[in-house]
Amino acid sequence: MMCAVVFQRQGRLYYADPGSLTPSVGDHVLYPTHEGPEVAEVMWAPEWVADDVGGLPVLVGMAGETHLRASEVSRKKRASARVAARRLIREHELPMKLSGVDYLYDENRTTIYFTAPHRIDFRALVRDLAATMDGKVELRQLSARDEARLTGDIGSCGRELCCSTFLVDFEPVSVRMAKDQDLPPNPMRISGACGKLMCCLKYEHPLYQEFAEQAPALGERVETPEGDGTVIGHNVPGETVVVRMAADGKVSRCALASVCSSRKSYESR
């Protein structure tokens, strides 16, 4: 069984194992976090899933009136902290941008996330924020990718960012992956909302590597069911090789499995 919850409307979906609970859409439940259980709203009622999904956090229980009141206080605290932080950042003339605010009710602690081009001395800002918020205040600097994950956005594909929906860890992505997939080396075309290389470049890269190991190189003479020819292109998603026939110059798309290169070329690969 699996269900999905959100901590705020139109926010990111978090998946969980309902355990013995049977909440409906719109019910409030307690979702386990590193800081303790937090109130979340069910957006996807528990359902059986075909795939074997393991390692999901188990819901702690249904949220009661006490939890809902604490959640409302936290929401108001976050809103006031956001306004105060923006005002004090302007007053201190610090080159930083507010990215998000979190509040822990049990510890009366406010965590403010920000981005900046370099390290900043924000000790005076923390002191003023603590006096304004009447509680503990922490400031944490985020990287460009962490900010995109926290704030969310729409990618060039028209869908929500992978990092703000399902990606757990950021895996290294290189320009070499874009070159292997015949993508233009234009930073505007292969960069995500965070300004870094798109994480999705890594998704299909193993397929391109496998195809390159098996397919004849461009310009190589090959034999096909339609006759001999020269390779002029590859279509990795379709697992086909584009061949220009030697007899009449016709261009044909042949399945990779049906294309045979010379033994010398095969042994050299």
Side-chain angles (χ1 to χ4, degrees):
M1 297 287 284
M2 185 172 67
C3 64
V5 302
V6 294
F7 292 101
Q8 57 185 359
R9 284 298 179 93
Q10 309 301 326
R12 174 184 175 184
L13 286 175
Y14 291 84
Y15 298 95
D17 182 350
S20 59
L21 302 177
T22 56
S24 303
V25 175
D27 289 347
H28 290 86
V29 295
L30 297 178
Y31 186 94
T33 67
H34 294 295
E35 305 292 348
E38 292 192 20
V39 176
E41 183 180 355
V42 177
M43 299 299 292
W44 174 16
E47 294 182 5
W48 289 103
V49 290
D51 298 332
D52 185 14
V53 180
L56 293 175
V58 181
L59 295 180
V60 177
M62 302 296 293
E65 290 297 328
T66 303
H67 302 107
L68 294 177
R69 284 196 297 269
S71 178
E72 181 63 18
V73 171
S74 298
R75 186 188 66 81
K76 293 180 179 179
K77 280 281 189 177
R78 289 195 297 270
S80 60
R82 186 180 295 273
V83 174
R86 286 176 174 168
R87 175 176 59 83
L88 290 173
I89 287 173
R90 289 195 300 269
E91 292 179 0
H92 286 270
E93 298 181 351
L94 295 174
M96 54 192 294
K97 184 180 73 172
L98 183 67
S99 298
V101 178
D102 196 10
Y103 178 76
L104 191 59
Y105 178 82
D106 295 336
E107 300 181 12
N108 190 25
R109 174 162 53 88
T110 304
T111 303
I112 297 176
Y113 302 94
F114 71 95
T115 57
H118 50 75
R119 295 186 64 85
I120 295 177
D121 183 5
F122 48 72
R123 287 174 292 182
L125 176 62
V126 172
R127 188 165 53 250
D128 292 347
L129 280 171
T132 303
M133 298 301 300
D134 190 21
K136 301 177 183 178
V137 176
E138 292 184 3
L139 264 70
R140 296 183 183 178
Q141 187 169 354
L142 300 177
S143 65
R145 285 187 168 179
D146 287 329
E147 182 190 18
R149 167 185 284 180
L150 181 65
T151 58
D153 204 341
I154 302 298
S156 57
C157 60
R159 301 174 66 90
E160 292 185 63
L161 300 182
C162 300
C163 58
S164 63
T165 52
F166 65 88
L167 275 186
V168 179
D169 298 317
F170 291 118
E171 298 185 11
V173 182
S174 64
V175 178
R176 181 65 186 178
M177 295 180 180
K179 293 181 179 179
D180 291 345
Q181 299 176 49
D182 294 328
L183 295 175
N186 184 352
M188 299 297 294
R189 296 285 302 275
I190 59 178
S191 298
C194 60
K196 306 295 183 180
L197 291 174
M198 293 188 294
C199 295
C200 56
L201 291 176
K202 192 175 181 65
Y203 298 165
E204 296 182 358
H205 186 244
L207 299 178
Y208 281 81
Q209 289 180 309
E210 182 180 351
F211 188 92
E213 294 176 356
Q214 300 176 2
L218 297 179
E220 187 174 329
R221 297 279 298 180
V222 295
E223 298 178 1
T224 72
E226 299 182 20
D228 296 345
T230 304
V231 177
I232 61 173
H234 294 151
N235 182 4
V236 178
E239 293 190 351
T240 57
V241 178
V242 183
V243 179
R244 185 182 299 280
M245 297 302 167
D248 53 6
K250 176 183 176 182
V251 176
S252 177
R253 295 181 180 272
C254 307
L256 175 61
S258 65
V259 176
C260 299
S261 58
S262 65
R263 178 174 294 276
K264 182 178 180 180
S265 300
Y266 175 80
E267 292 176 349
S268 65
R269 288 202 303 272

